């Protein structure tokens, strides 16, 4: 794991969903905040969805649904 991967995982580990709001709606807000605050940089690679699901204690379908709007906006690219 290189420094970039460690930095990204550390930032992503800060996700703390609040009760009463679907997690899939909180994910794009969280990622947008990381991008706007330059904690996620152009070219950074997110871990695989299953890793994010484990990190955020949810399932990969929720992560997929949460990331999809960011892909549609052009903020993320599926690879």
């Amino acid at each position: 794991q290189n420094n970039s991967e460690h930095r990204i995982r550390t930032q992503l580990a800060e996700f703390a969903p609040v009760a009463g709001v679907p997690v899939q709606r909180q994910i794009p807000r969280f990622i947008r905040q990381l991008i706007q605050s330059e904690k996620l940089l152009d070219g950074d690679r997110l871990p695989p969805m299953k890793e994010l699901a484990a990190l955020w204690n949810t399932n990969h379908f929720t992560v997929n649904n949460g990331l999809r709007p960011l892909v549609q906006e052009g903020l993320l690219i599926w690879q």
Side-chain angles (χ1 to χ4, degrees):
Q1 177 170 330
N2 65 36
N3 288 339
S4 176
E5 289 172 347
H6 177 73
R7 174 183 53 79
I8 293 165
R9 280 183 172 77
T10 300
Q11 296 301 324
L12 294 171
E14 294 179 6
F15 182 57
V18 296
V21 180
V23 173
Q24 69 187 35
R25 287 195 21 227
Q26 295 181 62
I27 290 171
R29 290 183 201 151
F30 174 70
I31 298 293
R32 277 190 202 96
Q33 289 172 346
L34 292 179
I35 292 169
Q36 290 167 351
S37 63
E38 297 184 354
K39 292 179 179 178
L40 275 182
L41 305 173
D42 190 25
D44 281 349
R45 295 179 66 106
L46 297 181
M49 268 188 249
K50 288 186 178 184
E51 263 185 63
L52 290 174
L55 182 66
W56 295 338
N57 197 31
T58 189
N59 63 63
H60 72 278
F61 296 108
T62 299
V63 174
N64 186 343
N65 290 335
L67 296 178
R68 181 174 286 120
L70 300 170
V71 172
Q72 292 170 339
E73 294 169 27
L75 292 175
L76 295 180
I77 299 170
W78 293 132
Q79 288 190 341

